[in-house]
C-alpha cells in the first residue's frame, strides 16, 4: 500500500516541531522578513506647466539580516525621454506595444517626463547619488545595520509626460493627470537581493509601508486614488457624507488633499476638473468610489456600480477578505492598470465590467500578496485572470453558481496559451517579465498560461482542494511577497499531494501536454484501453467512459510522483487504477464491460488539462462502426 504524503508530513512535523492542525501548518514557514518604508510626501502641482515640486521623507527599516551600504530609487518618469531604455526597446522589439511604438522618441522637452533630485540626506547627512536612466543609485553616508531604521529626506521636481503608457497627462479621453509611478520610489531588497530594475514598460515590485501624502492642486480638480482622504470637509468634491457641511480651505487658488494609505507598496492618483465622483457603500461598510469624465458613457458607469459590489462580495468569499475599507475605479491611463486600493481604466468602453473586475482582482494578487511581478508576472496576471474569469461567470449567472460543466471549468482551454504553445516562440513562465523576446510571448505566458496554471491545478488536486488552497494562500502570504514555491506548498498542504513536478514542468520548461487514446480492443466481457503520453509533460489522467445506456464511469490514473490521488469529483462510479510512472510512454487498463456496450471513451472531458491536441483524446463506437 502506498504511503501517503499527508502521513509523511505529519510524521515529519513531529520530528521537526512543526505544528499541523486539520492539514494546516503554522505560519512559521511564511515568516519571511520584509523591509518596511513609511513615506511622507508633500506635492505642489502646477497645472499650467504640468510640473510638481515635492518633498519626501522615508523612514526605512532594514529588517534583513544584511548590512546595507547602498540603496536604489526608481525614477519611472525618466522612461518617457527619447533614448531611454523603454524608448529603444519599443523601437527594436519585433512586436512593439501599439500604445508606445516610437512615440517616446518624438517627445519635445515640454512633453517628456522626468524626476529631478535636488537633495537627498540620510539622517540629516548628505549622501552621494547618481541617476542612471530610471534608477537613482545612492551611496549611503553610513551603512544600515540589521534592524535599524533610518530617515531619508529628499527634495525633487517632476514633469508629467504626455500620456503614452500608464502614466501621464491628457490621455486620449481627455483626463488631465494619471499620476502613476510618479514619485521617487525606493527599490525593494528581499531574500534575493536588490531589485533595481529599469522601467521599460513591464510590471512593478515595491516595499510595504504606510503612506502619508499631501497634494496641492488647483481647487477645481477632483482627485481619486490610493488611500483614505483625511480632510473631506475641507475638500468636498463628493467625499463628504450626506448632510455634512464643507468649508473648503483654498489657498492661492489651490486645495491641499491629505491622504493616508496603510500597508501598501505604492501610491497612485488621478486628477481632472471634470470628474464625476460617485460612491457606493457595501453591506460590510466598504466604500467603492467611481471617478469618470462628466458626460462620457454615463449609463455604463452607473450600471457598473452594483456589479462591482457583486464582484467584491464574491472575491471576499472565494479569494480572501479584502483588507482595506475602500476601492476606487478611476477613468484614466491607456487601458486598465492596477494600483493599491484603486485602478485606472479607460472609460469609453462598451462595457466597463470586465476590465474593472480584472483590475480589482489585482488588488488581491498584486496589491495584497505582492509577489515580485517583474520576476514572476504570471503569479499576478495569471491568477488575476483566473479569478476574474470566475467572478465574471458568477455575475453572468445572476449570482447563482453554475454546475461544474466543461464550459465553466475548462478555463485551461485558453486560446492564448494554446496558440503560443504551438507557435514555436513560447518561453518558460520563469522568464523575467522584461526579458521575453516578444511582447506577445510575454502576454500569452503571463496572462493565459498563468491562468491555466491555476485552473489546471484544479484538475490535478480537485476543485474542492483548489478552493481551499486559494483562501489559504491569501491568508498565509498576504503582505509577504510569495514566490512560486510558496504558492505550490500551500496547495500541497491542502491536498496532501506532492506537486513539485508541476512547477518543474509547467513553469520552468515549455514542455507540452498531449495525451491520446492509442487503442481500444474488446476482450470478451471486458475492454482493454491503451493510452499514450505523446507530449513531454506528464499529468494525472481522468478517462470518462460513457455507456450506450447513458451511464458514465470514471477511470483515474494518478502520477506516481504525486504520492496520492485526488478525490472523486462527480457522483459517477470511479475506478482508481495503479499510478502511471512518468517514464512510461503508454498505459493499459481494462473496463469490466464489453466494447459493444461502450458509446465513447474520452480523456479529460472537462477540458481543464491544457492538452495541446485534443483530436486524439476521444474514441467513439460510432467512429469504430464507420471503419468497419
Amino acid at each position: 500500500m502506498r504511503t501517503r504524503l499527508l502521513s509523511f508530513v505529519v510524521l515529519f512535523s513531529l520530528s521537526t516541531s512543526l505544528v499541523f492542525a486539520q492539514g494546516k501548518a503554522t505560519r512559521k514557514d511564511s515568516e519571511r522578513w520584509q523591509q518596511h518604508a513609511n513615506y511622507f510626501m508633500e506635492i505642489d502641482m502646477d497645472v499650467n506647466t504640468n510640473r510638481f515640486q515635492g518633498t519626501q521623507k522615508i523612514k526605512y527599516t532594514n529588517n534583513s539580516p544584511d548590512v546595507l551600504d547602498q540603496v536604489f530609487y526608481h525614477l519611472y518618469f525618466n522612461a518617457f525621454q527619447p533614448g531611454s531604455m523603454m524608448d529603444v526597446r519599443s523601437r527594436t522589439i519585433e512586436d512593439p506595444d501599439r500604445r508606445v511604438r516610437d512615440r517616446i522618441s518624438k517627445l519635445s522637452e515640454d512633453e517628456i517626463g522626468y524626476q529631478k533630485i535636488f537633495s537627498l540626506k540620510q539622517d540629516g547627512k548628505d549622501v552621494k547619488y547618481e541617476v542612471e536612466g530610471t534608477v537613482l543609485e545612492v551611496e549611503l553616508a553610513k551603512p544600515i545595520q540589521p534592524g535599524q531604521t533610518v530617515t531619508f529626506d529628499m527634495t525633487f521636481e517632476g514633469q508629467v509626460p504626455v500620456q503614452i503608457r500608464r502614466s501621464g497627462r491628457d490621455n486620449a479621453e481627455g483626463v488631465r493627470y494619471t499620476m502613476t509611478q510618479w514619485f521617487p520610489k525606493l527599490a525593494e531588497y528581499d531574500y534575493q537581493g536588490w531589485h533595481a530594475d529599469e522601467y521599460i514598460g513591464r510590471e512593478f515590485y515595491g516595499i510595504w509601508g504606510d503612506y502619508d501624502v499631501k497634494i496641492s492642486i488647483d481647487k477645481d480638480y477632483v482627485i481619486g486614488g490610493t488611500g483614505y482622504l483625511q480632510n473631506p470637509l475641507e475638500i468636498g468634491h463628493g467625499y463628504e457624507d450626506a448632510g455634512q457641511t464643507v468649508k473648503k480651505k483654498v489657498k492661492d487658488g489651490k486645495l491641499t488633499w491629505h491622504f493616508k494609505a496603510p500597508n501598501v507598496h505604492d501610491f497612485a492618483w488621478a486628477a481632472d476638473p471634470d470628474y464625476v465622483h460617485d460612491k457606493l457603500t457595501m453591506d460590510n461598510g466598504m466604500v467603492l468610489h467611481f471617478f469618470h469624465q462628466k458626460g462620457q458613457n454615463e449609463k455604463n458607469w452607473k450600471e457598473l456600480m452594483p456589479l462591482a459590489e457583486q464582484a467584491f462580495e464574491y472575491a471576499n468569499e472565494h479569494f480572501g477578505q479584502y483588507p482595506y475599507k475602500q476601492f476606487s475605479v478611476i477613468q484614466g491611463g491607456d487601458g486598465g492598470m492596477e494600483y493599491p486600493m484603486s485602478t485606472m481604466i479607460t472609460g469609453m468602453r462598451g462595457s466597463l465590467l470586465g476590465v474593472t473586475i480584472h483590475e480589482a482582482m489585482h488588488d488581491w494578487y498584486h496589491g495584497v500578496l505582492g509577489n515580485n511581478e517583474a520576476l514572476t508576472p504570471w503569479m499576478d496576471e495569471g491568477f488575476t485572470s483566473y479569478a476574474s474569469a470566475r467572478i465574471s461567470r458568477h455575475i453572468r449567472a445572476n449570482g447563482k453558481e453554475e454546475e461544474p460543466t466543461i464550459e465553466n471549468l475548462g478555463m485551461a482551454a485558453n486560446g492564448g496559451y494554446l496558440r503560443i504553445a504551438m507557435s514555436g516562440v513560447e518561453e518558460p513562465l520563469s522568464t523575467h517579465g522584461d526579458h521575453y523576446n516578444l511582447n506577445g510571448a510575454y502576454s500569452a505566458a503571463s496572462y493565459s498560461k498563468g491562468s491555466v496554471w491555476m485552473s489546471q491545478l484544479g484538475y490535478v488536486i480537485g476543485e474542492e482542494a483548489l478552493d481551499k488552497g486559494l483562501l489559504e494562500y491569501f491568508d498565509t502570504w498576504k503582505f509577504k511577497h510569495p514566490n512560486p514555491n510558496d504558492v505550490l506548498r500551500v496547495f500541497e498542504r491542502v491536498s496532501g499531494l506532492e506537486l513539485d513536478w508541476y512547477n518543474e514542468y509547467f513553469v520552468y520548461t515549455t514542455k507540452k501536454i498531449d495525451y491520446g487514446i492509442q487503442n481500444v480492443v474488446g476482450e470478451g466481457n471486458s475492454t482493454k484501453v491503451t493510452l499514450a503520453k505523446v507530449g513531454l509533460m506528464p499529468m494525472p489522467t481522468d478517462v470518462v467512459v460513457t455507456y450506450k445506456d447513458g451511464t458514465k464511469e470514471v477511470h483515474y490514473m494518478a502520477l506516481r510522483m504525486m504520492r496520492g490521488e485526488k478525490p472523486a469529483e462527480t457522483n459517477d462510479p470511479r475506478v482508481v487504477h495503479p499510478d502511471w510512472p512518468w517514464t512510461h510512454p503508454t498505459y493499459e487498463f481494462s473496463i469490466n464491460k464489453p466494447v459493444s456496450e461502450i458509446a465513447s471513451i474520452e480523456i479529460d472531458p472537462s477540458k481543464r488539462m491544457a492538452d495541446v491536441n485534443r483530436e486524439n483524446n476521444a474514441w467513439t463506437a460510432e467512429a469504430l462502426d464507420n471503419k468497419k
Side-chain angles (χ1 to χ4, degrees):
M1 181 179 293
R2 171 192 302 138
T3 300
R4 298 281 183 249
L5 176 65
L6 187 57
S7 300
F8 170 79
V9 169
V10 173
L11 291 172
F12 180 79
S13 70
L14 293 175
S15 65
T16 58
S17 300
L18 286 174
V19 180
F20 280 75
Q22 296 179 348
K24 279 190 175 182
T26 58
R27 300 295 161 74
K28 290 184 179 180
D29 60 343
S30 63
E31 290 176 358
R32 185 177 296 138
W33 55 264
Q34 306 288 330
Q35 303 295 68
H36 194 83
N38 289 341
Y39 284 77
F40 304 86
M41 292 189 285
E42 294 190 9
I43 307 300
D44 188 16
M45 171 68 79
D46 186 332
V47 299
N48 296 311
T49 64
N50 302 304
R51 295 174 183 166
F52 55 95
Q53 307 297 316
T55 62
Q56 181 190 84
K57 180 188 296 292
I58 299 177
K59 291 187 177 297
Y60 180 67
T61 302
N62 177 20
N63 290 317
S64 82
D66 306 322
V67 177
L68 304 180
D69 56 9
Q70 61 183 341
V71 298
F72 301 89
Y73 287 74
H74 296 286
L75 305 177
Y76 292 117
F77 271 7
N78 288 358
F80 300 100
Q81 298 174 11
S84 71
M85 289 181 69
M86 183 188 287
D87 173 35
V88 174
R89 175 68 163 170
S90 181
R91 288 188 286 113
T92 56
I93 197 169
E94 184 177 324
D95 60 338
D97 188 320
R98 58 180 176 77
R99 293 164 292 195
V100 183
R101 300 188 307 275
D102 62 348
R103 292 177 63 199
I104 296 176
S105 68
K106 298 177 180 178
L107 293 177
S108 61
E109 282 298 310
D110 65 346
E111 294 176 326
I112 65 170
Y114 64 68
Q115 289 161 338
K116 295 180 179 179
I117 310 305
F118 295 145
S119 67
L120 180 58
K121 299 178 183 292
Q122 174 193 352
D123 291 334
K125 297 181 179 179
D126 290 329
V127 297
K128 296 180 181 179
Y129 57 85
E130 184 174 356
V131 175
E132 291 287 350
T134 61
V135 174
L136 182 72
E137 301 175 347
V138 181
E139 180 182 336
L140 296 176
K142 187 177 182 180
I144 308 174
Q145 301 298 317
Q148 183 181 7
T149 298
V150 300
T151 300
F152 293 109
D153 287 286
M154 176 188 289
T155 60
F156 67 98
E157 178 183 83
Q159 178 168 287
V160 186
V162 171
Q163 201 282 323
I164 290 179
R165 186 69 184 100
R166 297 190 176 107
S167 309
R169 67 182 193 257
D170 304 317
N171 79 345
E173 296 179 345
V175 174
R176 280 291 284 139
Y177 294 114
T178 302
M179 300 297 288
T180 58
Q181 292 83 53
W182 60 277
F183 62 93
K185 179 181 175 184
L186 270 176
E188 179 65 289
Y189 182 84
D190 65 13
Y191 68 101
Q192 293 179 304
W194 283 106
H195 297 276
D197 297 325
E198 291 272 357
Y199 181 37
I200 62 168
R202 285 285 185 246
E203 309 291 353
F204 307 99
Y205 187 40
I207 309 169
W208 304 111
D210 300 336
Y211 282 73
D212 187 317
V213 182
K214 294 180 180 179
I215 304 166
S216 296
I217 194 170
D218 184 281
K219 63 182 177 60
D220 293 327
Y221 278 64
V222 181
I223 293 179
T226 304
Y228 308 113
L229 184 64
Q230 301 297 296
N231 56 339
L233 299 187
E234 298 175 1
I235 297 296
H237 288 304
Y239 279 95
E240 72 279 10
D241 292 332
Q244 290 185 318
T245 300
V246 176
K247 294 184 179 179
K248 294 184 178 182
K249 288 192 175 182
V250 179
K251 183 178 179 181
D252 298 329
K254 295 182 178 181
L255 288 172
T256 298
W257 302 61
H258 184 193
F259 293 94
K260 289 186 178 181
N263 209 17
V264 295
H265 58 71
D266 201 357
F267 187 97
W269 55 286
D272 192 273
D274 296 322
Y275 271 155
V276 174
H277 177 199
D278 292 319
K279 293 184 295 185
L280 184 154
T281 302
M282 295 174 54
D283 289 342
N284 64 2
M286 180 180 168
V287 180
L288 300 178
H289 294 260
F290 301 84
F291 299 86
H292 66 278
Q293 291 275 54
K294 184 178 181 181
Q296 288 190 13
N297 209 9
E298 296 275 2
K299 181 175 179 290
N300 282 352
W301 278 96
K302 290 293 184 184
E303 290 176 349
L304 173 64
M305 295 171 64
L307 298 176
E309 180 180 19
Q310 288 184 41
F312 272 87
E313 289 173 343
Y314 186 92
N316 284 335
E317 180 181 355
H318 294 275
F319 304 109
Q321 186 65 43
Y322 184 68
Y324 307 110
K325 297 178 181 177
Q326 75 176 46
F327 184 84
S328 297
V329 183
I330 307 164
Q331 184 177 359
D334 59 355
M337 185 60 196
E338 68 277 3
Y339 299 96
M341 304 174 67
S342 62
T343 179
M344 311 291 171
I345 67 171
T346 48
M348 295 296 290
R349 297 166 176 263
S351 171
L352 299 167
L353 181 61
V355 66
T356 298
I357 292 173
H358 181 89
E359 303 307 332
M361 281 313 303
H362 271 299
D363 246 36
W364 272 251
Y365 296 104
H366 160 83
V368 176
L369 286 162
N371 67 287
N372 182 348
E373 58 172 1
L375 182 61
T376 55
W378 62 274
M379 289 178 63
D380 172 36
E381 295 293 358
F383 295 0
T384 292
S385 296
Y386 167 83
S388 55
R390 281 187 58 173
I391 294 171
S392 296
R393 188 179 72 240
H394 169 75
I395 291 176
R396 287 197 304 270
N398 295 318
K400 298 178 182 178
E401 276 295 326
E402 296 174 310
E403 291 298 318
T405 64
I406 290 174
E407 288 76 16
N408 62 39
L409 284 181
M411 286 187 272
N414 186 297
Y417 165 63
L418 295 177
R419 283 192 296 273
I420 197 70
M422 303 306 292
S423 68
V425 298
E426 182 190 6
E427 298 179 60
L429 282 180
S430 55
T431 305
H432 189 287
D434 289 334
H435 301 157
Y436 279 85
N437 291 328
L438 298 173
N439 281 321
Y442 158 80
S443 297
S446 300
Y447 290 78
S448 299
K449 191 175 182 181
S451 177
V452 169
W453 187 98
M454 188 64 77
S455 60
Q456 184 172 249
L457 188 63
Y459 171 78
V460 174
I461 67 175
E463 297 298 329
E464 184 176 346
L466 181 70
D467 285 346
K468 183 179 179 182
L470 283 164
L471 291 171
E472 186 161 323
Y473 173 48
F474 185 83
D475 189 44
T476 301
W477 285 101
K478 57 188 176 185
F479 306 118
K480 293 175 183 174
H481 298 321
N483 63 39
N485 186 65
D486 298 326
V487 62
L488 201 64
R489 289 290 294 119
V490 170
F491 287 105
E492 284 192 329
R493 287 200 298 270
V494 299
S495 68
L497 299 174
E498 187 172 328
L499 298 171
D500 51 354
W501 60 271
Y502 189 57
N503 275 2
E504 288 165 4
Y505 278 94
F506 207 64
V507 173
Y508 301 113
T509 79
T510 59
K511 293 179 180 179
K512 300 166 185 60
I513 301 165
D514 182 9
Y515 279 82
I517 298 175
Q518 189 177 83
N519 200 20
V520 177
V521 178
E523 295 183 334
N525 290 326
S526 65
T527 303
K528 185 172 72 174
V529 179
T530 303
L531 305 179
K533 180 171 72 73
V534 182
L536 294 177
M537 178 172 171
M539 284 287 285
T541 313
D542 286 338
V543 179
V544 176
V545 179
T546 302
Y547 296 104
K548 290 181 178 178
D549 63 5
T551 60
K552 294 184 178 182
E553 186 175 73
V554 179
H555 291 256
Y556 173 71
M557 284 67 67
L559 289 175
R560 182 178 294 177
M561 58 187 171
M562 289 168 58
R563 306 302 169 193
E565 301 101 15
K566 71 175 176 182
E569 295 187 275
T570 69
N571 294 324
D572 299 315
R574 187 174 79 147
V575 179
V576 178
H577 294 279
D579 295 344
W580 188 340
W582 70 267
T583 53
H584 293 29
T586 60
Y587 186 101
E588 291 183 354
F589 70 94
S590 291
I591 301 169
N592 291 327
K593 286 191 178 183
V595 70
S596 60
E597 295 184 18
I598 299 174
S600 66
I601 304 171
E602 185 173 3
I603 298 172
D604 178 34
S606 75
K607 295 184 173 61
R608 288 173 293 167
M609 186 167 68
D611 194 312
V612 297
N613 175 25
R614 301 198 67 86
E615 292 184 1
N616 58 3
N617 283 37
W619 172 95
T620 65
E622 182 180 359
L624 180 63
D625 291 341
N626 290 337
K627 289 182 179 180
K628 293 179 179 179

